[in-house]
Amino acid sequence: MKKIKLSFLALSVLSIGLLSSCGSDSSQTTTEQTTQTGTPAPDATPATVTIEISGTDQMKFDKSDIVVHEGQEVTLILHHSGKLPKATMGHNWVLLNQGVDMQAFDEKAAKAGEKNDYIPQDAASDMIAHTKLLGGGESDTITFKAPAEGAYDFLCSFPGHSSMMKGKFVVMK
Ligand code: ZN
């Protein structure tokens, strides 16, 4: 019994010793970690990801699927690669929360009008992120945190566009 107690004590002293040596030697530990991350594991998920998507004068997005990872900081760049003005062929990119009915959202967006970039001002909880409304040649960049694992809908909320301009935003673990 006495022997066990003693070895426990010895172990505690050892742990404290290790902890304090780590604390006082943090610069060396950091250097070692940097060296190790020089060759990252193949399955390492980057903390950030940049997605570019274009809308055209033919009322289409050039991507129907976007895949990111949970918790990633997503930088999304929307381009309008056409020439038409936003009054007739405006494009935005809206990411809906799960469970939001796209048709119902579209109706709210149409009521919000061009002055609000077709973003319903009283439906913030419907959206995870959105860009502004663009005309030909314009771009907009937004940054947001990828939501929980799952599939989400994205669309252009310009009236009548979501039948053609929509897709899936897939968040992986
Ligand atoms: Zn559009």
Side-chain angles (χ1 to χ4, degrees):
M1 190 65 189
K2 201 176 177 185
K3 202 174 175 185
I4 293 167
K5 209 174 177 181
L6 264 173
S7 57
F8 173 74
L9 197 74
L11 202 70
S12 305
V13 171
L14 192 69
S15 312
I16 292 162
L18 280 172
L19 275 174
S20 56
S21 78
C22 277
S24 62
D25 211 7
S26 61
S27 61
Q28 198 187 332
T29 310
T30 310
T31 314
E32 277 166 17
Q33 279 171 353
T34 310
T35 312
Q36 277 166 8
T37 51
T39 49
D43 61 346
T45 304
T48 61
V49 59
T50 300
I51 309 283
E52 294 194 52
I53 182 167
S54 291
T56 67
D57 281 347
Q58 286 71 45
M59 209 207 292
K60 280 182 180 165
F61 279 133
D62 66 346
K63 285 186 175 70
S64 56
D65 291 282
I66 295 172
V67 179
V68 302
H69 288 274
E70 207 172 70
Q72 275 187 315
E73 189 184 277
V74 181
T75 296
L76 184 131
I77 308 164
L78 173 68
H79 302 285
H80 189 318
S81 58
K83 291 189 168 70
L84 295 171
K86 69 178 179 182
T88 54
M89 187 52 75
H91 300 314
N92 60 15
W93 185 90
V94 181
L95 181 60
L96 295 182
N97 258 313
Q98 279 176 332
V100 176
D101 182 80
M102 197 186 282
Q103 213 171 340
F105 180 85
D106 245 355
E107 283 166 23
K108 287 188 241 179
K111 278 183 201 151
E114 192 187 334
K115 67 178 189 297
N116 290 312
D117 287 358
Y118 298 106
I119 300 298
Q121 300 300 293
D122 55 351
S125 64
D126 286 0
M127 297 170 281
I128 294 166
H130 67 83
T131 67
K132 62 183 185 180
L133 187 70
L134 306 180
E138 294 179 328
S139 295
D140 190 29
T141 301
I142 56 169
T143 301
F144 59 96
K145 197 179 169 193
E149 181 184 22
Y152 300 78
D153 290 315
F154 70 80
L155 72 150
C156 170
S157 68
F158 190 98
H161 284 200
S162 70
S163 59
M164 300 272 287
M165 302 187 75
K166 64 182 170 188
K168 289 286 177 193
F169 184 89
V170 179
V171 183
M172 315 266 283
K173 264 286 177 207

